Amino acid sequence: DSSLSGNNDDIDVSKWRQRLHDFLSSQQQQWIYMWTVFNYGITCYAAGGGAFSGLLPWYYSLKFPVMILVRFRAYKQRSWQWFLLDFCYWSNTMLLLFLWVYPNAALFCFVFALSNGPLLWSI
C-alpha cells in the first residue's frame, strides 16, 4: 500500500495515464498502436535479411520525414517545437545525408559513431 510506505509513485503514474487518455481518443490510440506494430514488423523483417532487405534505406527515407512532420505538428501544438533540435534528430538527418547525398567512408564512420556512441548510451 503506497499510503503506508509513503510512496506516492502510483498517484503520479495514474495522473499521467489519465492525461494521456484524455488527450488521445480511443480511435487515435488504436491507430497509433497499429502503426507501431506494423512499423516494428516491417523494420525487423527488412533488417533481418528478408526478401526486401534492399528496400530498408528506402523505407527509412520515406518514414523519417513523415514521422518528423507528425511530430512537428504535435510538438507545435504544445509549443515544444524546439525539442526537434535534439541530437537524435540531427543524427538521423546525417544518416539520410549519408544514404542519398554524400555516401563515402568518412561520413559512414561519423554516422556510425553517432549512432553507436551517444545515442546508444542515451537510450
Side-chain angles (χ1 to χ4, degrees), residues 44-111:
C44 288
Y45 180 72
F52 301 107
S53 62
L55 297 177
L56 183 61
W58 290 96
Y59 177 66
Y60 179 77
S61 298
L62 292 174
K63 181 179 74 168
F64 180 73
V66 170
M67 298 301 288
I68 290 297
L69 289 173
V70 168
R71 187 157 294 175
F72 179 77
R73 183 174 165 249
Y75 281 11
K76 185 71 173 165
Q77 289 176 350
R78 294 181 190 88
S79 297
W80 292 353
Q81 65 270 17
W82 294 108
F83 284 111
L84 291 173
L85 295 176
D86 193 33
F87 182 71
C88 62
Y89 299 110
W90 286 102
S91 298
N92 284 301
T93 305
M94 292 300 295
L95 176 62
L96 286 177
L97 286 174
F98 166 72
L99 287 173
W100 305 113
V101 178
Y102 195 64
N104 68 3
L107 187 57
F108 173 76
C109 291
F110 182 69
V111 170

Side-chain angles (χ1 to χ4, degrees), residues 3-58:
S3 62
L4 295 177
S5 66
N7 187 356
N8 292 327
D9 291 338
D10 295 334
I11 296 169
D12 293 335
V13 170
S14 64
K15 182 171 57 172
W16 281 103
R17 187 177 301 144
Q18 184 62 36
R19 283 184 184 174
L20 180 63
H21 181 69
D22 292 344
F23 178 73
L24 297 174
S25 70
S26 177
Q27 188 171 12
Q28 285 175 324
Q29 290 177 5
Q30 290 174 358
W31 278 102
I32 290 170
Y33 179 76
M34 183 196 69
W35 168 251
T36 303
V37 171
F38 173 76
N39 181 38
Y40 182 75
I42 294 295
T43 303
C44 288
Y45 180 72
F52 301 107
S53 62
L55 297 177
L56 183 61
W58 290 96

